[in-house]
Amino acid sequence: MDGRGPYGLACMNCFKAKSKCVGRPEGDGCQRCHRLKKQCNPSDSIRRRNSQKAQSSRIAQLESKLDDLFSLLQAVQQPPAPTSTASQTSVTGDHSSSDTSMSLPSSVPPTYHMPADESRNTEESLALFRDTMLRACPFIYLPPTVTAQYLQKERPFFFQAVLAVTTRSMREKRMRAQQFKATLAQATVVENRSSIDLLLGLLTYVAWGYDHFIHSAPTTSRLMQIALSIVYDVHLNKPLPGDHHMMTLLGGKAFCSGSEAPERHSLEEQRAVLGCFLLASVISSYFAQNDPMRWTSQMEDFLRTVEANAEHQNDHALALHVRLQLLAQRAAQVRDEHNGLLPIAFFLTSFRGQLEALRASIPLEHPNKYWLLAHLYYVELSINSTAFLPQGSLESPAGTPSAPSPPNSGSDWERVDSMQGSVKAIKSWMDVFFAFKSTDCMAFTIHLWAQLARSLVTLYRLSTYTEAGWDPEVVCNTVDLLEVVKHTTQKMDHIAGPNPVSDDFWTQVARLGAVIRAWLESQLQRDGNEGMPGWAPSGCSASGTQFPWDMSAELTDSLAYGNETWLQTLSSLPLPGSSMRMPP
């Protein structure tokens, strides 16, 4: 033993990591540094010599952070909101107004003047959100004449969400997310308010906030539930029933007669409800923590109204996205209602026919064409995989006996046909994904990432499925999973730029992609491409990344001790090499 171990005598590495430092019996360093292959240096003398300097540096860092926090709070501070037409017509829990129309006007007279630098930055954020991000999930229409200044005054919570999802700084994202949730809790729980502003802000943050990634916590489903509660609270999903018997004395709410009629709702409200259905359906399917939003006749009326009264090309895209997701949700519901006993041929014939009708309705030259095609192929994958998943064996590890098929589930040929349809749909989805520019990925919603995740997971399951009649080589010869991961990482790396900053969100995503890619390549090198069909097609070998894989011990150590610092640990890893860059 070299004497280290007691408090205050830890080596430099253990001291910085706040980890217990235990010396090795051989006397050459501590056990943790030996495990992580790090040079072990005693810190006693160094710490005494640099304590005063470190303390001064720490104070300077804290002062800098306080200055940044103060500046950020000033930037997002809501100006005094005088009574206006828009604020008077907001949807509230008590429906004190008989008019619930809340469409944004085409032009707004400026009444609040932001500082020049703040105004420029917020206008840039609004332009990014309106011109790029909304193409992926267009649940709101923002005319070009609507300014950041107007939104900050009339839609403060929504605008707060826009700023939170458009900033690239991880530190700022966390700060804005914390403020966003605090405002949400105060409004919905403490004050019991419901408004179109709250609903739009929630949908924006759920779609692009990546909260589960930033905070390493599955909060997205809970936020989606709050959005649904707002819709239900003001009866945007369906009108109040004629035989309702609530009494305000017992906690009910008094509603103005006729105010819930569909024709009284603005296009802004109707778009928001459709967007809520779209996101709720996707999140329910992906996280499996809540039920999807039930489709109603009033929502069908809203969908037809948006189609017939489109103010922008994004309205047509929204309608198609909703109809596509509605088809995927119905397929899953039919599967669950019949417990997998519905004949595959009948199931596929019905839903494939409806899907082809939607495919024919997508304009050839629509500016949102790729987003719509990606959704269409995802729904095609959903229908095919929903048809064969109830037969049970895809959830079992390769080589283990599968559960017997239900008596009416279909023949082996029908199951193989649906599996082949899944692989074909994934190949089509990947072709669309490769066609996206790198900058388009900045607009990816949780919906698009869920599509990618389902495609990759289904590929792996099909590539390890060994039942009679199915050839895993179909996957190997169709899609190269390693190439997909490599291409995705390259896109993220290009967004991060030639001189990536560690605090940048897309730099963090690029690092995560590099870790996944390096792990896959290490598996291929270790296993010699054997036992992992579909992960590397014949003729495809590991390319050999420049990523120093031994650094993954840092990540492993963080996860093993449950410190919830995996993202911070990931930030310390070297960036991907220049070989991973690609043109836009």
Side-chain angles (χ1 to χ4, degrees), residues 278-289:
L278 177 62
L279 289 172
S281 179
V282 171
I283 289 173
S284 171
S285 175
Y286 183 71
F287 289 102
Q289 292 176 323

Side-chain angles (χ1 to χ4, degrees), residues 344 388 391 405 409-419:
I344 291 180
F388 66 74
Q391 281 64 57
S405 300
S409 61
S411 64
D412 291 339
W413 180 88
E414 289 173 332
R415 285 193 308 236
V416 169
D417 179 61
S418 62
M419 294 179 198

Side-chain angles (χ1 to χ4, degrees), residues 9 11 21 50 65 118 176 193 208 233 243 250 311 336 354 374 380 389 394 415 441 443 482 502 527 581 583:
L9 296 180
C11 70
C21 184
N50 295 331
K65 289 183 178 180
E118 179 186 342
R176 289 191 179 277
R193 289 194 287 115
W208 291 281
D233 185 42
D243 60 347
L250 301 179
E311 294 181 330
D336 294 340
Q354 298 176 58
E380 184 176 4
L389 276 177
L394 292 189
R415 285 193 308 236
C441 295
L482 183 60
S502 61
D527 298 337
R581 310 216 177 272

Side-chain angles (χ1 to χ4, degrees), residues 24 29 31 38 144 148 160 169 243 305 344 389 400 407 429 458 565:
R24 302 185 66 222
Q31 295 181 7
K38 291 185 175 182
Q160 190 177 347
S169 167
D243 60 347
T305 300
I344 291 180
L389 276 177
T400 60
W429 191 94
T458 305
T565 59

Side-chain angles (χ1 to χ4, degrees), residues 168 370-371 429-444 449 452 483-498 504-507 509-511 513-514 517 576-577 579-584:
R168 293 179 55 156
Y370 285 129
W371 306 101
W429 191 94
M430 292 300 175
D431 290 341
V432 174
F433 178 63
F434 284 8
F436 279 119
K437 296 180 181 179
S438 296
T439 51
D440 288 333
C441 295
M442 297 176 65
F444 272 23
W449 293 118
L452 175 62
E483 184 65 25
V484 172
V485 176
K486 176 182 176 182
H487 184 84
T488 305
T489 305
Q490 288 175 332
K491 284 182 179 292
M492 301 302 104
D493 189 55
H494 181 266
I495 297 175
D504 183 76
F505 171 78
W506 296 104
T507 299
V509 178
R511 282 183 173 129
R517 177 185 171 190
S579 61
M580 299 179 67
R581 310 216 177 272
M582 63 174 292

